[in-house]
């Protein structure tokens, strides 16, 4: 395969590909040897405005890491041992195609299954595998580890994944940060709020633990994990009882106010205190601050959706702006995602028409069960791209057992020898986003950008699209999705750009583009069945959920402590494990424990402890802190197991259980116990 010839350029624009709402525009400096030597923020980007986080300021270390995979590899030792030998691309592709033909001839296409993670969020590279597996008739996946429950809860209420313009928070007088550690995972929006703060705006953070963002808040409200719906309903109770609502707005722009009101007596501040741990006085104070604010703005985080009540929690919070008419106030409203700000025709890339009818659908969260327990047919060919499920998906002991099946053929397309890659039969080297074409939209702002490679691919790395086009060719697939140029595909994906000469020229030149007017997104109604913000949803009823926001109790498994596993500050999912300096800043796999809970186990000071439940146990550094309340423990980040004391990641302790909506993960809804290390 021909390698791309690169010019000797100095400074080139690109975009951060990682799973972060900020989708920063980057200026990469490339030296005469074709190496990226520095990365800095692009000052011309309207949202990220020249700032990068500490992770991506170190991106040259990641791109040019000595740990990058440069050549295809074939396993030579036991699965999981990490023993491989170099092979050619020809041998790798021939091996894969011959195994695919053999297994599908015997079991049919459903014996193939692909887990694709969010390691590269570019529209093309993140989805390039989809038409191939549709054409194969492979088992399909539903749900994911991230935010499907949040999406569902928001969509039932508001109708599309849009909200207030993120920058407009600069004009708020009250920002509620509900379940988001913005200082670590949405820093650019926080920068806009700081403008409002200069004018006296207040920030309230609602979260189960005092994270970096909570430490900057004017008021931090600590809530029991998973009880967010009850708190939102308690606020609604007070808003309605004290007439802190916008009746003309409710009349014109919302649906089901009376039905909502009928449920609110169940959520008096006193009842809500018993559920959430937030005092009745604080529930009233919160509601009054929200109801009396000139333009209250809510930043809804997705972490709160990763539990068995996650979809309903987001739905309940999403109702609040409807009661006070916040979307019609400059600086007010709410935002969770901006994902629907980019009208596109995904079918030209995903090609759902290639998928045979009634193809089996598996839960993506249940990787271990899919590999171990699914039959008729079993999964015998497992592909992994852009993800590292052997540490990031729940119940990794089950996943490891699945990956060590002798009759399982595993192909991993990766930039590094991850925990998952160590179990592969064939490992294929993947480009970073600096080495391939892509189009980046954002889920945290409204600007998109096309990027060309800023350096040549390292070694023999191929992009996801190059890989699946090669495989398609060898399988004899002739559909144009496998042969279109990247630019042709990009323009077909975004017809509103292709049809507008000015936009098209700007897009192809790599300029930032905005496709919809986000300032007026809810000015004339909502994309729900009634065209209004739905306090009452007929669709939810049809789908088997309560039609109005509702809090329900769930049964707790054994274990004294509620485990939360939010992102770390210096790493992101498992994507930065190869950058030594960032790992050093995170120090070690840590469990934040309240001193009361520690003392109950005879743990009197920081040190190594064991955390365990019915799925297993692992060693973590206990950090005794009152930032977490009694009954809750917090482990930030996912560590590569080679950097942990016992070769285990935190997801040894999390379960495959699903969310209430959307088949999402319940990574923040697990119980553990702790004890001194033996
Ligand atoms: S991880 Fe987020 S904040 Fe950091 S550079 Fe990427 S998009 Fe920007």
């Amino acid at each position: 395969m021909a390698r791309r010839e690169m010019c000797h350029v100095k400074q080139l624009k690109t975009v951060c590909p990682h799973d972060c709402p900020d989708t920063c525009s980057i200026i990469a400096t490339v030296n005469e040897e074709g190496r990226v030597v520095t990365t800095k923020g692009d000052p011309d980007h309207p949202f990220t405005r020249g700032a990068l986080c500490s992770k991506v300021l170190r991106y040259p270390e990641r791109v040019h890491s000595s740990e990058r995979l440069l050549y295809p590899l074939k396993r030579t030792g036991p699965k999981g041992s990490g023993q491989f030998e170099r092979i050619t691309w020809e041998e790798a592709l021939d091996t894969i195609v011959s195994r695919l033909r053999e297994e599908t001839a015997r079991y049919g296409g459903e014996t193939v299954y692909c887990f694709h993670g969010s390691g590269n969020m570019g529209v093309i590279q993140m989805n390039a595998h989809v038409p191939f597996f549709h054409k194969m008739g492979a088992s399909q996946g539903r749900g994911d580890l991230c935010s499907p429950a949040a999406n569902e809860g928001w969509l039932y209420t508001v109708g599309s994944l849009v909200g207030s313009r993120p920058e407009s928070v600069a004009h708020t007088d009250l920002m509620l940060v509900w379940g988001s550690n913005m200082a670590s995972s949405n820093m650019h929006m926080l920068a806009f709020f700081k403008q409002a703060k200069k004018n006296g705006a207040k920030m309230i953070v609602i979260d189960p633990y005092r994270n970096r963002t909570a430490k900057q808040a004017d008021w931090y409200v600590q809530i029991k994990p998973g009880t967010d719906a009850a708190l939102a309903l308690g606020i609604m109770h007070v808003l309605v009882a004290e007439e802190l609502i916008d009746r003309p707005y409710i009349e014109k722009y919302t649906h089901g106010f009376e039905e909502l009101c009928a449920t609110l007596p169940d959520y008096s501040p006193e009842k809500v205190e018993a559920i959430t741990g937030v005092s009745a006085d604080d529930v009233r104070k919160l509601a009054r601050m929200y109801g009396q604010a000139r333009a209250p703005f809510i930043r809804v985080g997705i972490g709160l959706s990763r539990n068995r009540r996650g979809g309903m929690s987001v739905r309940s919070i999403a109702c609040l702006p409807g009661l006070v008419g916040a979307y019609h106030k400059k600086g007010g409203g709410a935002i969770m995602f901006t994902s629907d700000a980019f009208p596109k025709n995904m079918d030209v890339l995903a090609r759902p028409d290639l998928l045979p009818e009634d193809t089996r659908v598996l839960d993506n969260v249940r990787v271990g069960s899919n590999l171990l327990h699914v039959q008729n047919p079993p999964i015998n060919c497992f592909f992994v791209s852009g993800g590292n499920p052997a540490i990031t998906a729940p119940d990794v002991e089950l996943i490891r057992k699945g990956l060590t099946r002798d009759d399982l053929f595993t192909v991993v397309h990766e930039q590094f020898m991850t925990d998952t890659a160590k179990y592969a039969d064939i490992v294929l080297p993947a480009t970073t986003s600096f080495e391939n074409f892509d189009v980046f939209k954002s889920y945290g702002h409204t600007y998109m950008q096309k990027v060309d490679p800023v350096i040549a691919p390292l070694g023999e790395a191929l992009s996801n699209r190059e890989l699946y086009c090669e495989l398609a060719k060898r399988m004899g697939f002739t559909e144009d999705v496998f042969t279109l140029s990247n630019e042709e595909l990009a323009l077909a994906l975004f017809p509103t750009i292709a049809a507008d000469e000015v936009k098209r020229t700007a897009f192809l030149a790599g300029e930032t583009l905005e496709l919809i007017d986000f300032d007026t997104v809810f000015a004339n109604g909502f994309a729900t069945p009634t065209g209004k913000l739905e306090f009452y949803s007929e669709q939810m009823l049809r789908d088997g959920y309560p039609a109005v926001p509702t809090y329900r109790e769930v049964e707790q498994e054994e274990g004294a402590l509620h485990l939360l596993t939010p992102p770390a500050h210096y790493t992101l999912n498992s994507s930065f494990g190869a950058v030594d300096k960032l790992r050093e800043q995170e120090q070690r796999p840590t469990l934040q424990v309240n001193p009361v809970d520690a003392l109950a186990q005879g743990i009197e000071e920081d040190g190594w402890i064991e955390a365990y439940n019915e799925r297993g146990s692992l060693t973590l550094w206990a950090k005794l802190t009152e930032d977490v309340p009694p009954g809750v423990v917090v482990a930030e980040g996912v560590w590569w197991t080679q950097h942990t004391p016992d070769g285990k990641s935190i997801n040894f302790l999390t379960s495959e259980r699903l969310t209430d909506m959307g088949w999402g993960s319940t990574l923040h809804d697990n119980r553990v116990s702790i004890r001194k290390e033996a």
Side-chain angles (χ1 to χ4, degrees), residues 595 597-606 609 622 624 674-676:
D597 293 325
L599 204 55
Q601 300 304 319
I603 301 163
E604 293 173 3
E605 57 187 25
D606 294 4
I609 61 161
L624 309 196
I674 57 171
R675 61 189 165 215
K676 276 184 172 176

Side-chain angles (χ1 to χ4, degrees), residues 16 18 20-24 26 51-53 55-56 187-188 572:
C16 174
H18 289 286
C20 170
D22 292 18
T23 320
C24 291
I26 297 172
L52 291 186
C53 68
K55 300 178 276 283
V56 175
M187 62 180 245
H188 295 87
L572 205 170

Side-chain angles (χ1 to χ4, degrees), residues 145 391-399 557 563-565 613 615-616 618 649-657 665-672:
L145 300 175
I391 58 171
T392 60
D395 202 344
V396 294
E397 181 62 14
L398 206 60
I399 297 171
E557 54 188 4
L563 171 67
L564 300 174
T565 59
N613 61 19
R615 284 174 288 281
L618 76 155
S649 87
I650 190 66
N651 284 314
F652 264 82
L653 301 180
T654 56
S655 86
E656 285 189 334
R657 200 171 35 204
S665 69
T666 54
L667 294 173
H668 298 330
D669 193 2
N670 296 281
R671 307 291 286 195
V672 296

Side-chain angles (χ1 to χ4, degrees), residues 231-247:
L231 182 58
L233 282 154
I235 294 172
M236 292 187 229
H237 176 105
V238 178
L239 289 173
V240 173
E242 300 189 5
E243 197 58 28
L244 295 168
I245 55 177
D246 184 337
R247 285 197 180 265

Side-chain angles (χ1 to χ4, degrees), residues 106-221:
R106 186 161 171 210
Y107 293 105
E110 288 177 342
T111 197
V112 181
Y113 173 60
C114 176
F115 179 95
H116 194 89
S118 50
N120 181 342
M121 299 293 286
V123 180
I124 290 184
Q125 304 303 343
M126 190 178 188
N127 296 290
H129 62 290
V130 177
F132 179 82
F133 290 110
H134 279 170
K135 181 76 179 178
M136 290 293 307
S139 290
Q140 298 297 294
R142 66 181 178 190
D144 58 50
L145 300 175
C146 188
S147 60
N151 293 354
E152 293 293 307
W154 185 270
L155 288 170
Y156 279 129
T157 314
V158 172
S160 57
L161 293 175
V162 292
S164 306
R165 177 183 283 284
E167 299 97 306
S168 71
V169 75
H171 304 288
T172 189
D173 59 338
L174 179 72
M175 177 160 77
L176 244 64
V177 181
W178 201 319
S180 171
N181 184 4
M182 297 174 74
S184 294
S185 55
N186 192 197
M187 62 180 245
H188 295 87
M189 190 171 155
L190 204 53
F192 280 97
F193 172 72
K194 283 179 181 157
Q195 289 172 230
K197 197 172 170 66
K198 282 188 195 143
N199 296 324
K202 300 282 185 247
M203 177 164 80
I204 302 173
V205 172
I206 302 171
D207 207 283
Y209 82 112
R210 192 186 301 269
N211 55 34
R212 279 174 183 259
T213 314
K215 286 174 184 167
Q216 300 176 26
D218 295 286
W219 182 24
Y220 165 53
V221 178

Side-chain angles (χ1 to χ4, degrees), residues 15-25 45 120-124 126-127 151 161 337-346 349 438-451 493-494 497 507 513-515:
V15 171
C16 174
H18 289 286
D19 184 9
C20 170
D22 292 18
T23 320
C24 291
S25 184
H45 192 275
N120 181 342
M121 299 293 286
V123 180
I124 290 184
M126 190 178 188
N127 296 290
N151 293 354
L161 293 175
F337 286 145
T338 56
S339 315
D340 286 344
F342 311 93
K344 60 187 179 308
N345 179 8
M346 270 310 284
L349 174 52
D438 219 329
V439 178
F440 288 92
K441 60 189 190 66
S442 172
Y443 62 88
H445 62 67
T446 55
Y447 306 97
M448 61 182 295
Q449 203 172 331
K450 180 214 81 166
V451 299
L493 269 166
F494 294 97
I497 295 176
F507 175 74
L513 273 184
E514 197 172 39
L515 300 186

